[in-house]
Amino acid sequence: MWRRVASVSHLFSHSKSTKFNQGASTFKIWETFTSESEIPTPSKGSPFVTFVLGGPGSGKGTQCAKIVEAFGFTHVSAGDLLRREIASGSAYGSVILSTIREGKIVPSQVTVELIQKEMESSDNYKFLIDGFPRSEENRKAFEQTIGAEPDVVLFFDCPEQEMVKRVLNRNQGRVDDNIDTIKKRLEIFDELNWPVINYYSQRGKLHKINAVGTVDEIFEKVRPIFAPLSTLSSLFGKDHCEEWKFVPKEAS
Ligand SMILES: Nc1ncnc2c1ncn2[C@@H]1O[C@H](COP(=O)(O)OP(=O)(O)O)[C@@H](O)[C@H]1O
Ligand SMILES: O=c1ccn([C@@H]2O[C@H](COP(=O)(O)OP(=O)(O)O)[C@@H](O)[C@H]2O)c(=O)[nH]1
Ligand SMILES: [Mg+2]
């Protein structure tokens, strides 16, 4: 279900000044809409953020590519940003590399800064944040730094055996796609990611998707979650859609 909300000023209550929270006028625009007009009014815009969660090999990246193609999101993969940072020879590179090798989680400050830069350099307002947040600490750091909460949270639910099989067959030359690191990543996922999943489930934002099946079968479960976005785009145009927020169904 979709409804119009009082813009997004509530999303930015703890925020620093970022590209996305400078529109103090947006609440006034909503007041104008509710009191005087039935026609949606363009606002300064706000990010439409989707977090994409799931264990290693659950198919997050694969499904993100399909969502980008169908719904025009910008894909921000936290893992890819970290790997790019290593490849660039940055000061953080060696710490990131050893953390990834051990299957642990890179300090939130580093990851959030990379995500923030990526979001701010994009002209798009729809973002898929893939593989993040991996812990409650990650989640809180994002909220505080970016000043936004996710509108939608996808969780690809996949049995461990299937995840291990997929990761071992991934063939992308990743330093962490070996059986020892996968075991550690699964342990860390169990310990630190479940609290994040439960947090969003309690807030009614979580869409749990059974990640077993073909890529297309799984995408057919994802598609209806975003279908209202394209309906709104065709009815009102992009600017007007920035004024709409998704009100998710109860988590399944
Ligand atoms: N539904 C699926 N069935 C079988 N293999 C899949 C499926 N989805 C993705 N894969 C493959 O599994 C591996 C891991 O997928 P990926 O999207 O990288 O997962 P994640 O980003 O969650 O680690 C890749 O080699 C991918 O091609
Ligand atoms: O927010 C993040 C995302 C990734 N990682 C690190 O990067 C690795 C690979 O993450 P990616 O999301 O690429 O792995 P996937 O789940 O897709 O296999 C993880 O195991 C972590 O060590 C991290 O520390 N923080
Ligand atoms: Mg991935």
Side-chain angles (χ1 to χ4, degrees):
M1 171 187 159
W2 288 77
R3 67 176 166 84
R4 202 174 167 82
V5 295
S7 193
V8 290
S9 47
H10 65 289
L11 296 181
F12 302 133
S13 51
H14 305 296
S15 65
K16 291 184 187 167
S17 175
T18 73
K19 170 181 163 183
F20 299 114
N21 66 1
Q22 290 159 355
S25 61
T26 48
F27 188 71
K28 290 202 178 75
I29 288 169
W30 166 250
E31 286 175 329
T32 305
F33 170 77
T34 49
S35 58
E36 293 168 15
S37 165
E38 284 298 309
I39 300 163
T41 315
S43 77
K44 287 197 79 141
S46 60
F48 185 98
V49 173
T50 297
F51 283 159
V52 183
L53 307 180
S58 58
K60 302 181 293 297
T62 304
Q63 292 298 322
C64 281
K66 306 276 290 180
I67 299 167
V68 166
E69 194 186 341
F71 298 108
F73 278 74
T74 291
H75 181 199
V76 179
S77 157
D80 285 351
L81 292 177
L82 292 168
R83 286 183 284 273
R84 197 168 81 190
E85 196 67 5
I86 297 169
S88 76
S90 100
Y92 295 134
S94 59
V95 165
I96 298 173
L97 178 59
S98 55
T99 308
I100 289 180
R101 261 192 219 286
E102 290 167 28
K104 294 183 178 162
I105 297 177
V106 172
S108 298
Q109 191 199 341
V110 173
T111 315
V112 170
E113 197 176 298
L114 294 172
I115 292 173
Q116 183 178 30
K117 274 194 207 147
E118 199 69 5
M119 289 175 75
E120 294 201 343
S121 66
S122 170
D123 289 335
N124 202 349
Y125 67 99
K126 289 183 281 188
F127 296 95
L128 292 172
I129 314 285
D130 168 5
F132 178 97
R134 279 179 135 85
S135 65
E136 279 287 274
E137 198 221 328
N138 271 178
R139 177 184 70 70
K140 290 174 190 163
F142 181 92
E143 280 175 20
Q144 279 171 9
T145 307
I146 311 282
E149 284 180 18
D151 298 275
V152 173
V153 180
L154 304 182
F155 165 46
F156 290 102
D157 189 24
C158 195
E160 272 195 20
Q161 263 193 331
E162 177 68 16
M163 291 195 277
V164 171
K165 193 175 86 185
R166 288 184 192 174
V167 170
L168 290 178
N169 287 322
R170 182 150 47 187
N171 274 332
Q172 290 177 355
R174 281 175 45 171
V175 294
D176 53 346
D177 281 356
N178 58 76
I179 190 65
D180 290 338
T181 312
I182 293 166
K183 280 184 190 158
K184 286 185 200 147
R185 289 159 69 192
L186 288 169
E187 278 169 23
I188 301 265
F189 176 79
D190 273 346
E191 186 188 333
L192 298 180
N193 214 226
W194 278 107
V196 180
I197 290 162
N198 292 335
Y199 175 89
Y200 289 121
S201 176
Q202 279 160 14
R203 276 153 189 77
K205 291 191 175 185
L206 194 80
H207 292 260
K208 181 171 153 185
I209 294 146
N210 180 349
V212 180
T214 67
V215 170
D216 287 342
E217 281 166 354
I218 295 161
F219 185 62
E220 288 315 312
K221 299 179 211 164
V222 172
R223 189 195 294 279
I225 298 169
F226 296 106
L229 273 181
S230 36
T231 309
L232 285 169
S233 299
S234 58
L235 285 175
F236 300 115
K238 170 183 170 289
D239 285 345
H240 294 97
C241 291
E242 293 181 45
E243 275 287 284
W244 294 81
K245 287 284 168 197
F246 185 64
V247 181
K249 289 182 291 187
E250 287 295 300
S252 55

